[in-house]
Amino acid sequence: MQKLVYSFVFLLLATSLSAQRFSATLPNYEAYKAFKGKPLSDKFSNIESVKVIYDLRKQKMYYFNSTLIPLHYDFVVNYLNYTQDLEVFNNENYSDTEKDRAFLLGNLNHIKGTEKWIFELAASDHMPLFLIERFFNLVKNSTFIGENLKFYLNNPEKMEWFQEQKFKIPCVKSDYIFNEITYQEVVGGTNIGILKQYKIKDLDKIKPSPDEIVILDGTPDILPNARGIIVNELQTPLSHLVLLGKNRKIPIMAYTNVFKDGNIQRLLSKKVELKIEIDTFYIKETNKKIVQKTNSKKKQLVIDTTVTDLVNLNTIPKKGVNSIGSKAQNMAYLIAISKEQSFKTPEDAHAIPFYFYIKHIQKKSISPLVKELLAYPHKDSTVWINKQLKKIRDAIKKENVDPELIAKLNETFKNAKFKNFRFRSSTNAEDLDDFNGAGLYDSKTGILGDSIKTFEKAIKQVWASVWNEASYNERELFGINQKNIAMGVLVHRSFPDELANGVIITKNIFRENFPGITVNIQKGENSVVKPEKGEICEQFVAYHFNDGKDETDFDIDYTSNSNLNNNEPLLSRKEMSDLYTISKKIETKMYRYWRKNQFHPVDIEFKIVGEKRELYIKQVRPFND
């Protein structure tokens, strides 16, 4: 009876709190739960949030229902009789002074499944230090959380104060949150399939069925053709797995406890429905029909072999996509843009046209192997196909490259400042609007005059990667006519002295209809798109608040910091501002070159190089989201 009375009291409390829109205190978790909602940003998948306002003039606290009232501005207008417009509200209440401020604005976040509580300001809020500490203590004293409450350092300004030991309140960085994440939406969506479990090492012998949803014990080098994918490793948001998954439009998630989850293990070999959302997932047995998608039409690729000489990318080739590939053509565009903007592109950039690849694979030792592969009727025979692909790669590497090509390269680069050159794939089946080909082909280094790392060896390795298992399977899945594949090679100086490397997407991928760019960056040459196990890169969103144009109105919102750099920022504020400005100009220019009528974000790869920390842009392509 006593238990029933307690249950009734808690139910009454929760119901009354849900009905009311705000409260001055949060006496227990039930009160928090009644007001909680999703954060406006999807940068973390394991956070629930309640918005909080302190009225400086009336000296009153307001915790309010974040689901019913998603914005601080909505609350002050509808409940506190605020009459100014949004721009005035933002300018006054996110400023670096107490003057003209009417309110202190914050978010009380909880890491689900833990006792970790985080008080966070908007990254664009430049609240003075004394007001942050005052606000923090007001929250601490008006809630049940007590000593578990920590202040989250989400922008460079606050991190600098922390380094200078100015804070008198407990502070945390992104690793405090990131270390608790067990689930991550990689690609959202719903699908139906037979739930199966595989080891990564077995995928070169066993091919999952296209009607399966597969669980994997790591991140695959080759994305299986499946209805959905569950991996047990968290992913960098701009990794090749993510980009290929978005291209495929299949649901993919990371769940570190997938092999310990009894509910999932009980569903193995059963037909299930998997639904992946930003902060949770659902999986259950189902009787729904599995609908297979088929590519009835083969996508035809264009090959122009009339270009028979090295192409200097300092001049933009006409219709170069058809003769040197998208990557090399886009490099020519970047070089043209760099002449007007404050960034560099890799020096000595040239392209080896399709002509030389086609000439090479038409040799008697290679051509019959390719024809045999493409004529083979049993496309699900993984072992035979993989063996045949290896035969083709070996044959490509065994034959000599046209000596005329090697002579042209040696002549072109004989007086170059650099001796190490990077040879990169530039096929007619990558960096396209509907097929990005991320990570499918190889890049290799050749050294001028070297007897081991020769130009010829590098070229043959890049050409051979046309017939990698991953690239072949991905083209097959997308219905690309394998007979028309051609490999150009983008050649430029290599970067042995890079201080950092990264990827920019020219949109805020964590918050719909909100400005910004998303940046992933890692120390040195450690990969952002294919990180080693345990490596966490720096990630942030950069934006101009209120559409401002100068550096003082520029803001950074960190999602994570590099654990290879002691969780300290890899870039200065000026470097971040430059990235934003330059990436937006590249985006605008590229869409003129591509003759696109509709805005769409781009994917940019960059490096920070040398003692002068020079910014190099090394690649741009459409972002397929």
Side-chain angles (χ1 to χ4, degrees):
M1 181 67 185
Q2 192 175 26
K3 189 179 287 187
L4 283 172
V5 170
Y6 282 139
S7 298
F8 177 74
V9 169
F10 276 123
L11 179 63
L12 189 65
L13 175 63
T15 304
S16 62
L17 282 167
S18 296
Q20 73 184 61
R21 302 301 173 97
F22 58 88
S23 174
T25 62
L26 294 177
N28 50 44
Y29 180 71
E30 291 300 318
Y32 180 89
K33 188 177 176 181
F35 284 164
K36 73 175 184 177
K38 285 172 60 177
L40 289 176
S41 169
D42 293 332
K43 61 185 180 180
F44 296 114
S45 61
N46 59 340
I47 293 288
E48 53 192 9
S49 182
V50 167
K51 286 187 165 43
V52 55
I53 291 177
Y54 181 67
D55 188 324
L56 284 164
R57 296 185 176 105
K58 295 181 181 178
Q59 298 189 24
K60 286 187 176 181
M61 290 286 285
Y62 299 92
Y63 298 93
F64 59 91
N65 193 311
S66 301
T67 302
L68 296 174
I69 313 163
L71 300 176
H72 290 99
Y73 179 71
D74 293 340
F75 184 85
V76 299
V77 168
N78 294 318
Y79 296 91
L80 303 183
N81 300 316
Y82 185 79
T83 57
Q84 300 287 351
D85 64 27
L86 179 60
E87 186 170 353
V88 172
F89 174 80
N90 286 342
N91 286 335
E92 291 183 349
N93 294 287
Y94 291 97
S95 70
D96 60 358
T97 176
E98 188 176 13
K99 183 183 177 183
D100 296 327
R101 263 188 188 260
F103 309 104
L104 304 181
L105 315 168
N107 298 284
L108 180 55
N109 299 329
H110 177 230
I111 304 176
K112 290 185 279 190
T114 75
E115 291 301 316
K116 290 185 174 182
W117 294 83
I118 298 158
F119 180 56
E120 180 182 15
L121 306 182
S124 52
D125 194 335
H126 300 281
M127 189 182 295
L129 182 59
F130 78 94
L131 281 182
I132 293 175
E133 294 183 335
R134 178 183 174 189
F135 197 10
F136 177 90
N137 287 314
L138 285 166
V139 171
K140 181 179 176 181
N141 294 331
S142 59
T143 66
F144 65 97
I145 298 166
E147 297 302 320
N148 287 334
L149 188 63
K150 305 289 188 286
F151 180 67
Y152 178 46
L153 306 169
N154 62 357
N155 69 16
E157 183 179 46
K158 297 181 182 73
M159 285 190 181
E160 190 174 325
W161 291 345
F162 180 74
Q163 287 175 335
E164 294 169 354
Q165 299 184 338
K166 291 183 177 180
F167 280 107
K168 297 176 183 176
I169 55 177
C171 299
V172 294
K173 298 179 183 178
S174 59
D175 58 319
Y176 187 76
I177 304 171
F178 200 85
N179 290 342
E180 297 294 339
I181 294 177
T182 59
Y183 165 75
Q184 178 188 34
E185 175 205 53
V186 177
V187 182
T190 303
N191 223 336
I192 296 162
I194 308 300
L195 189 65
K196 291 284 188 174
Q197 192 167 286
Y198 295 91
K199 292 185 180 297
I200 293 285
K201 65 181 180 64
D202 295 332
L203 290 180
D204 58 347
K205 301 173 186 174
I206 304 170
K207 189 174 185 178
S209 170
D211 66 355
E212 293 177 356
I213 292 172
V214 300
I215 300 171
L216 302 174
D217 63 340
T219 302
D221 290 330
I222 302 172
L223 207 60
N225 178 16
R227 307 283 295 170
I229 297 173
I230 303 172
V231 298
N232 69 338
E233 292 179 344
L234 299 176
Q235 300 297 308
T236 302
L238 303 181
S239 71
H240 286 155
L241 176 71
V242 176
L243 297 180
L244 288 173
K246 288 180 181 293
N247 220 31
R248 293 257 195 105
K249 297 179 174 60
I250 59 170
I252 302 178
M253 62 183 252
Y255 181 34
T256 59
N257 295 329
V258 64
F259 294 107
K260 302 175 187 175
D261 191 314
N263 292 326
I264 290 178
Q265 294 299 309
R266 281 191 289 271
L267 291 171
L268 287 173
S269 298
K270 296 179 180 178
K271 184 163 64 171
V272 300
E273 182 175 8
L274 174 66
K275 183 178 183 182
I276 296 174
E277 296 181 351
I278 184 63
D279 58 348
T280 191
F281 70 94
Y282 305 92
I283 187 167
K284 62 180 181 180
E285 193 171 357
T286 184
N287 292 318
K288 293 180 181 178
K289 186 178 179 181
I290 299 173
V291 180
Q292 292 288 356
K293 290 183 178 179
T294 57
N295 285 307
S296 55
K297 291 184 178 180
K298 286 285 185 183
K299 181 179 176 63
Q300 300 299 321
L301 302 172
V302 179
I303 306 175
D304 176 2
T305 57
T306 61
V307 178
T308 61
D309 203 351
L310 273 183
V311 179
N312 188 334
L313 299 179
N314 272 317
T315 302
I316 297 174
K318 291 183 178 179
K319 296 184 179 179
V321 171
N322 298 334
S323 60
I324 60 174
S326 295
K327 189 178 290 179
Q329 181 74 13
N330 289 341
M331 177 58 75
Y333 294 144
L334 280 173
I335 291 170
I337 298 169
S338 72
K339 293 171 183 176
E340 304 170 3
Q341 305 296 332
S342 56
F343 70 88
K344 288 190 169 185
T345 54
E347 290 87 349
D348 301 312
H350 286 70
I352 300 171
F354 294 160
Y355 165 80
F356 289 100
Y357 168 81
I358 297 298
K359 184 178 178 181
H360 192 76
I361 66 161
Q362 285 174 346
K363 294 179 178 180
K364 291 180 180 179
S365 64
I366 305 171
S367 180
L369 295 174
V370 174
K371 289 178 180 176
E372 187 181 7
L373 172 69
L374 301 186
Y376 190 66
H378 305 295
K379 297 298 183 186
D380 58 346
S381 178
T382 304
V383 174
W384 187 91
I385 287 174
N386 287 352
K387 283 182 179 178
Q388 190 71 4
L389 288 167
K390 186 176 186 304
K391 285 181 183 178
I392 295 170
R393 294 196 301 272
D394 289 345
I396 289 173
K397 294 174 188 176
K398 190 174 181 180
E399 287 286 352
N400 292 327
V401 173
D402 184 343
E404 183 185 350
L405 172 59
I406 303 302
K408 287 179 178 180
L409 286 166
N410 287 330
E411 179 64 24
T412 300
F413 298 136
K414 68 179 182 181
N415 296 319
K417 179 181 176 182
F418 306 96
K419 301 301 179 186
N420 292 18
F421 290 85
R422 196 68 172 162
F423 291 75
R424 302 170 59 197
S425 68
S426 184
T427 69
N428 54 355
E430 63 183 314
D431 295 358
L432 306 175
D433 282 336
D434 54 352
F435 188 81
N436 60 38
L440 297 181
Y441 308 103
D442 295 343
S443 297
K444 297 295 176 180
T445 297
I447 302 174
L448 185 66
D450 195 85
S451 60
I452 298 174
K453 284 196 170 186
T454 64
F455 284 178
E456 181 174 21
K457 183 179 179 181
I459 292 166
K460 289 193 289 188
Q461 287 175 314
V462 175
W463 280 349
S465 70
V466 168
W467 304 102
N468 284 344
E469 288 89 348
S471 56
Y472 170 81
N473 290 330
E474 201 72 12
R475 293 193 303 269
E476 197 71 17
L477 182 64
F478 274 80
I480 291 173
N481 191 336
Q482 305 274 12
K483 294 178 182 178
N484 298 128
I485 183 71
M487 172 72 84
V489 182
L490 169 61
V491 188
H492 56 67
R493 72 96 151 188
S494 66
F495 292 90
D497 57 345
E498 60 189 284
L499 301 175
N501 74 101
V503 178
I504 305 165
I505 304 300
T506 56
K507 69 172 286 188
N508 185 336
I509 66 172
F510 299 112
R511 186 170 174 182
E512 285 292 325
N513 303 316
F514 198 78
I517 63 170
T518 306
V519 180
N520 280 193
I521 183 171
Q522 187 54 285
K523 185 176 181 179
E525 61 182 16
N526 295 276
S527 178
V528 166
V529 295
K530 198 176 178 183
E532 294 294 327
K533 193 178 180 72
E535 289 184 358
I536 299 172
C537 70
E538 177 172 301
Q539 179 173 272
F540 58 85
V541 173
Y543 57 95
H544 278 296
F545 197 51
N546 277 344
D547 292 325
K549 301 303 179 190
D550 59 42
E551 192 182 328
T552 60
D553 201 16
F554 184 82
D555 291 292
I556 300 293
D557 188 356
Y558 282 111
T559 303
S560 61
N561 299 105
S562 169
N563 61 354
L564 302 183
N565 199 50
N566 298 319
N567 293 311
E568 299 296 334
L570 286 162
L571 298 176
S572 70
R573 183 176 178 82
K574 176 68 165 58
E575 288 170 333
M576 295 176 193
S577 180
D578 288 345
L579 275 185
Y580 179 89
T581 304
I582 288 167
S583 65
K584 283 297 184 180
K585 286 176 179 175
I586 290 173
E587 176 188 68
T588 301
K589 289 277 190 179
M590 288 306 297
Y591 270 79
R592 289 177 187 166
Y593 284 127
W594 290 332
R595 297 182 180 179
K596 303 288 184 183
N597 296 321
Q598 191 175 1
F599 163 78
H600 198 78
V602 296
D603 172 336
I604 298 169
E605 293 188 17
F606 69 94
K607 295 179 183 292
I608 305 295
V609 177
E611 292 181 3
K612 294 181 180 178
R613 297 184 63 88
E614 292 175 304
L615 172 63
Y616 278 79
I617 305 295
K618 58 166 281 199
Q619 183 170 308
V620 62
R621 62 185 169 196
F623 177 62
N624 298 318
D625 61 346

Short mmCIF file of all heavy atoms in Angstrom, two decimals, residues 219-244:
data_model
loop_
_atom_site.label_atom_id
_atom_site.label_comp_id
_atom_site.label_asym_id
_atom_site.label_seq_id
_atom_site.Cartn_x
_atom_site.Cartn_y
_atom_site.Cartn_z
N THR A 219 35.41 -1.89 -37.77
CA THR A 219 35.07 -1.07 -38.93
C THR A 219 35.61 -1.73 -40.19
O THR A 219 36.82 -1.93 -40.30
CB THR A 219 35.66 0.34 -38.79
OG1 THR A 219 35.17 0.93 -37.57
CG2 THR A 219 35.27 1.22 -39.96
N PRO A 220 34.76 -2.09 -41.14
CA PRO A 220 35.24 -2.81 -42.32
C PRO A 220 35.97 -1.91 -43.31
O PRO A 220 35.62 -0.74 -43.47
CB PRO A 220 33.94 -3.34 -42.94
CG PRO A 220 32.90 -2.33 -42.54
CD PRO A 220 33.30 -1.84 -41.18
N ASP A 221 36.99 -2.46 -43.98
CA ASP A 221 37.64 -1.74 -45.07
C ASP A 221 36.71 -1.70 -46.28
O ASP A 221 36.72 -0.74 -47.06
CB ASP A 221 38.95 -2.42 -45.46
CG ASP A 221 40.02 -2.25 -44.39
OD1 ASP A 221 39.99 -1.23 -43.70
OD2 ASP A 221 40.86 -3.16 -44.25
N ILE A 222 35.93 -2.77 -46.44
CA ILE A 222 34.98 -2.87 -47.54
C ILE A 222 33.58 -2.93 -46.95
O ILE A 222 33.28 -3.81 -46.14
CB ILE A 222 35.25 -4.12 -48.40
CG1 ILE A 222 36.68 -4.10 -48.96
CG2 ILE A 222 34.24 -4.23 -49.53
CD1 ILE A 222 37.09 -5.37 -49.65
N LEU A 223 32.74 -2.01 -47.34
CA LEU A 223 31.38 -1.96 -46.81
C LEU A 223 30.55 -3.07 -47.44
O LEU A 223 30.40 -3.12 -48.67
CB LEU A 223 30.77 -0.59 -47.14
CG LEU A 223 29.68 -0.05 -46.22
CD1 LEU A 223 30.21 0.10 -44.81
CD2 LEU A 223 29.17 1.29 -46.73
N PRO A 224 30.02 -4.02 -46.65
CA PRO A 224 29.24 -5.11 -47.23
C PRO A 224 27.96 -4.60 -47.90
O PRO A 224 27.40 -3.58 -47.49
CB PRO A 224 28.90 -5.99 -46.02
CG PRO A 224 29.80 -5.56 -44.93
CD PRO A 224 30.13 -4.13 -45.18
N ASN A 225 27.50 -5.33 -48.90
CA ASN A 225 26.21 -5.05 -49.51
C ASN A 225 25.14 -5.64 -48.61
O ASN A 225 24.91 -6.85 -48.61
CB ASN A 225 26.15 -5.67 -50.91
CG ASN A 225 24.79 -5.44 -51.58
OD1 ASN A 225 24.01 -4.60 -51.14
ND2 ASN A 225 24.52 -6.19 -52.63
N ALA A 226 24.52 -4.81 -47.79
CA ALA A 226 23.58 -5.29 -46.78
C ALA A 226 22.44 -4.30 -46.61
O ALA A 226 22.49 -3.17 -47.12
CB ALA A 226 24.31 -5.50 -45.45
N ARG A 227 21.42 -4.71 -45.87
CA ARG A 227 20.25 -3.87 -45.61
C ARG A 227 20.51 -2.85 -44.51
O ARG A 227 19.83 -1.84 -44.41
CB ARG A 227 19.05 -4.74 -45.21
CG ARG A 227 18.74 -5.86 -46.17
CD ARG A 227 18.02 -5.38 -47.39
NE ARG A 227 16.71 -4.85 -47.06
CZ ARG A 227 15.94 -4.20 -47.90
NH1 ARG A 227 16.35 -3.95 -49.12
NH2 ARG A 227 14.75 -3.75 -47.53
N GLY A 228 21.49 -3.15 -43.67
CA GLY A 228 21.86 -2.27 -42.58
C GLY A 228 23.13 -2.79 -41.94
O GLY A 228 23.47 -3.98 -42.11
N ILE A 229 23.85 -1.95 -41.22
CA ILE A 229 25.13 -2.35 -40.64
C ILE A 229 25.22 -1.83 -39.21
O ILE A 229 24.90 -0.66 -38.93
CB ILE A 229 26.31 -1.81 -41.47
CG1 ILE A 229 26.28 -2.41 -42.88
CG2 ILE A 229 27.65 -2.14 -40.80
CD1 ILE A 229 27.30 -1.83 -43.84
N ILE A 230 25.67 -2.71 -38.30
CA ILE A 230 25.94 -2.33 -36.91
C ILE A 230 27.39 -2.67 -36.62
O ILE A 230 27.81 -3.82 -36.79
CB ILE A 230 25.02 -3.10 -35.93
CG1 ILE A 230 23.55 -2.86 -36.26
CG2 ILE A 230 25.32 -2.69 -34.49
CD1 ILE A 230 22.58 -3.73 -35.46
N VAL A 231 28.18 -1.68 -36.23
CA VAL A 231 29.58 -1.91 -35.86
C VAL A 231 29.74 -1.62 -34.38
O VAL A 231 28.93 -0.90 -33.78
CB VAL A 231 30.55 -1.04 -36.69
CG1 VAL A 231 30.46 -1.39 -38.17
CG2 VAL A 231 30.28 0.45 -36.49
N ASN A 232 30.80 -2.17 -33.79
CA ASN A 232 30.99 -1.99 -32.35
C ASN A 232 32.04 -0.93 -32.02
O ASN A 232 32.50 -0.83 -30.89
CB ASN A 232 31.38 -3.32 -31.69
CG ASN A 232 32.77 -3.80 -32.08
OD1 ASN A 232 33.29 -3.41 -33.12
ND2 ASN A 232 33.36 -4.66 -31.26
N GLU A 233 32.40 -0.10 -33.02
CA GLU A 233 33.36 0.99 -32.82
C GLU A 233 32.71 2.31 -33.19
O GLU A 233 32.06 2.42 -34.23
CB GLU A 233 34.59 0.80 -33.71
CG GLU A 233 35.47 -0.37 -33.33
CD GLU A 233 36.66 -0.51 -34.27
OE1 GLU A 233 36.65 0.10 -35.37
OE2 GLU A 233 37.60 -1.22 -33.91
N LEU A 234 32.89 3.32 -32.34
CA LEU A 234 32.39 4.66 -32.65
C LEU A 234 33.15 5.22 -33.85
O LEU A 234 34.31 4.91 -34.07
CB LEU A 234 32.56 5.58 -31.44
CG LEU A 234 31.80 5.18 -30.18
CD1 LEU A 234 32.14 6.12 -29.04
CD2 LEU A 234 30.30 5.14 -30.40
N GLN A 235 32.47 6.05 -34.62
CA GLN A 235 33.01 6.52 -35.90
C GLN A 235 33.28 8.03 -35.88
O GLN A 235 32.54 8.79 -35.25
CB GLN A 235 32.03 6.22 -37.03
CG GLN A 235 31.73 4.75 -37.21
CD GLN A 235 32.96 3.96 -37.60
OE1 GLN A 235 33.66 4.30 -38.55
NE2 GLN A 235 33.24 2.89 -36.85
N THR A 236 34.32 8.43 -36.59
CA THR A 236 34.51 9.85 -36.90
C THR A 236 33.39 10.26 -37.84
O THR A 236 33.13 9.57 -38.84
CB THR A 236 35.86 10.08 -37.59
OG1 THR A 236 36.90 9.61 -36.74
CG2 THR A 236 36.08 11.55 -37.87
N PRO A 237 32.68 11.36 -37.57
CA PRO A 237 31.51 11.71 -38.39
C PRO A 237 31.77 11.89 -39.87
O PRO A 237 30.86 11.81 -40.67
CB PRO A 237 31.04 13.02 -37.75
CG PRO A 237 31.51 12.95 -36.35
CD PRO A 237 32.82 12.25 -36.41
N LEU A 238 33.03 12.14 -40.27
CA LEU A 238 33.33 12.32 -41.68
C LEU A 238 34.24 11.20 -42.20
O LEU A 238 34.96 11.37 -43.17
CB LEU A 238 33.99 13.69 -41.90
CG LEU A 238 33.16 14.88 -41.41
CD1 LEU A 238 33.87 16.19 -41.69
CD2 LEU A 238 31.78 14.90 -42.05
N SER A 239 34.17 10.04 -41.55
CA SER A 239 34.98 8.90 -41.98
C SER A 239 34.45 8.33 -43.28
O SER A 239 33.33 8.60 -43.70
CB SER A 239 34.98 7.81 -40.90
OG SER A 239 33.72 7.18 -40.84
N HIS A 240 35.26 7.49 -43.92
CA HIS A 240 34.84 6.86 -45.17
C HIS A 240 33.62 5.97 -44.96
O HIS A 240 32.76 5.87 -45.85
CB HIS A 240 35.99 6.05 -45.76
CG HIS A 240 37.06 6.91 -46.37
ND1 HIS A 240 38.37 6.50 -46.50
CD2 HIS A 240 37.02 8.16 -46.88
CE1 HIS A 240 39.08 7.47 -47.07
NE2 HIS A 240 38.29 8.48 -47.30
N LEU A 241 33.52 5.30 -43.80
CA LEU A 241 32.34 4.48 -43.52
C LEU A 241 31.08 5.33 -43.55
O LEU A 241 30.05 4.94 -44.11
CB LEU A 241 32.48 3.80 -42.16
CG LEU A 241 31.26 2.98 -41.71
CD1 LEU A 241 31.11 1.72 -42.55
CD2 LEU A 241 31.36 2.62 -40.23
N VAL A 242 31.16 6.51 -42.94
CA VAL A 242 30.01 7.42 -42.90
C VAL A 242 29.65 7.90 -44.30
O VAL A 242 28.48 7.87 -44.71
CB VAL A 242 30.29 8.62 -41.97
CG1 VAL A 242 29.13 9.60 -42.00
CG2 VAL A 242 30.54 8.15 -40.55
N LEU A 243 30.66 8.35 -45.06
CA LEU A 243 30.39 8.90 -46.39
C LEU A 243 29.85 7.84 -47.34
O LEU A 243 28.91 8.09 -48.10
CB LEU A 243 31.67 9.53 -46.96
CG LEU A 243 32.23 10.73 -46.18
CD1 LEU A 243 33.49 11.25 -46.84
CD2 LEU A 243 31.20 11.85 -46.06
N LEU A 244 30.43 6.64 -47.30
CA LEU A 244 29.93 5.56 -48.16
C LEU A 244 28.53 5.14 -47.73
O LEU A 244 27.68 4.82 -48.56
CB LEU A 244 30.88 4.37 -48.12
CG LEU A 244 32.22 4.55 -48.85
CD1 LEU A 244 33.14 3.36 -48.59
CD2 LEU A 244 32.03 4.74 -50.35
#
